[in-house]
Amino acid sequence: MRRFSCLALLLAATGVQAQVADTGSYLQRMDTDGDGRVSVEEYVQWMMYAFQRMDRNGDGVLSADELPGGKGPPITREQQRQTLIQRFHKQDATGDGYLSAKELAAPPR
């Protein structure tokens, strides 16, 4: 659940309200093709929303002034994308290339 708290804080920092009450709702919102599971593409697309909102000048880089707290090293869109892909594969406990509601609800591995 800690992962959801971090996401909620990030979304709140960008002015977006995460209106997800439980893991099932979270999965439904991420699952754009409606197959009951989340692919790496769906996961990355959903999670990159916060990056796009924070990148105020649209240059594909989050500079310190665009990061929560106003400090830290710059992060490129591709760096964030790769980080999300790595997180996805860590969460994919079954190794099937998809996240189930149970895997989404699990603490980060």
Side-chain angles (χ1 to χ4, degrees):
M1 289 298 174
R2 183 174 169 206
R3 180 169 148 196
F4 295 114
S5 298
C6 292
L7 176 61
L9 287 173
L10 183 58
L11 291 174
T14 64
V16 176
Q17 293 182 3
Q19 299 175 350
V20 178
D22 58 49
T23 306
S25 296
Y26 193 66
L27 181 130
Q28 285 180 322
R29 293 197 57 183
M30 292 177 80
D31 180 19
T32 58
D33 65 6
D35 67 355
R37 56 192 186 165
V38 176
S39 68
V40 68
E41 294 84 10
E42 290 168 323
Y43 180 83
V44 170
Q45 180 180 356
W46 173 268
M47 300 297 276
M48 286 299 290
Y49 178 77
F51 183 98
Q52 293 162 326
R53 294 277 298 174
M54 292 170 62
D55 185 14
R56 293 186 301 269
N57 64 5
D59 67 353
V61 177
L62 295 182
S63 55
D65 65 317
E66 294 171 317
L67 292 170
K71 52 179 126 175
I75 302 168
T76 67
R77 181 178 287 117
E78 184 57 27
Q79 286 171 316
Q80 182 63 13
R81 186 178 166 287
Q82 290 302 318
T83 297
L84 292 171
I85 290 170
Q86 289 172 359
R87 285 185 196 160
F88 175 91
H89 290 296
K90 285 181 182 179
Q91 283 301 110
D92 182 12
T94 61
D96 66 355
Y98 295 92
L99 297 181
S100 63
K102 182 178 179 180
E103 288 168 322
L104 283 169
R109 300 166 25 130

